[in-house]
Amino acid sequence: MQKKRIILVLIAIFLVLAGIGGTKKVVEMRQAAQKERQIKFLKRNKDIIINKAFTVDGKLDVKDIDFYWDTVQVEYSGIIKSKPYGLNIKVTSTRLSDSKKYADILIIKTDVERLDSVVDVAFK
């Protein structure tokens, strides 16, 4: 009787731990899919982002822009990460005005859930 009880408890513990591990995998898969969706959105809107970030006095002041897609992250507003504000990404570029190479982080303001439009672009 005692052995059956121990075996049942061990089986229950195993099932609980297996469920936790499975849940963690699902969350990781969901996050990976969400990041891929964000990258596709940024690639689709690359020209808009470049124009909003690098246009000076009506002219594009940049060449050789490289986007580092693996650096995409959700940007939060406020001191506590309470509300998603947009996406940020690392870029490097050469400015035409001084021919220097710059590394910047762009913040793309957008609805992070819907990813339907680029509202604004700023430098971090």
Side-chain angles (χ1 to χ4, degrees), residues 1-14:
M1 182 73 163
Q2 187 67 13
K3 284 185 179 182
K4 282 186 177 181
R5 179 180 244 173
I6 291 172
I7 291 172
L8 288 175
V9 169
L10 289 174
I11 290 172
I13 290 171
F14 174 76

Side-chain angles (χ1 to χ4, degrees), residues 32-89:
Q34 194 172 19
K35 185 167 184 167
E36 188 61 35
R37 190 170 152 255
Q38 293 164 351
I39 291 170
K40 285 180 184 178
F41 167 77
L42 293 175
K43 286 180 177 180
R44 225 179 21 250
N45 291 285
K46 186 176 171 181
D47 291 338
I48 294 169
I49 294 167
I50 291 169
N51 285 329
K52 286 185 180 253
F54 298 106
T55 299
V56 177
D57 296 329
K59 293 182 180 180
L60 201 59
D61 184 41
V62 71
K63 66 177 182 175
D64 302 327
I65 304 167
D66 293 315
F67 286 79
Y68 294 86
W69 303 112
D70 59 329
T71 65
V72 172
Q73 293 180 342
V74 174
E75 182 75 20
Y76 292 90
S77 63
I79 296 171
I80 299 173
K81 291 185 176 183
S82 57
K83 280 184 122 178
Y85 176 79
L87 301 171
N88 69 33
I89 185 170

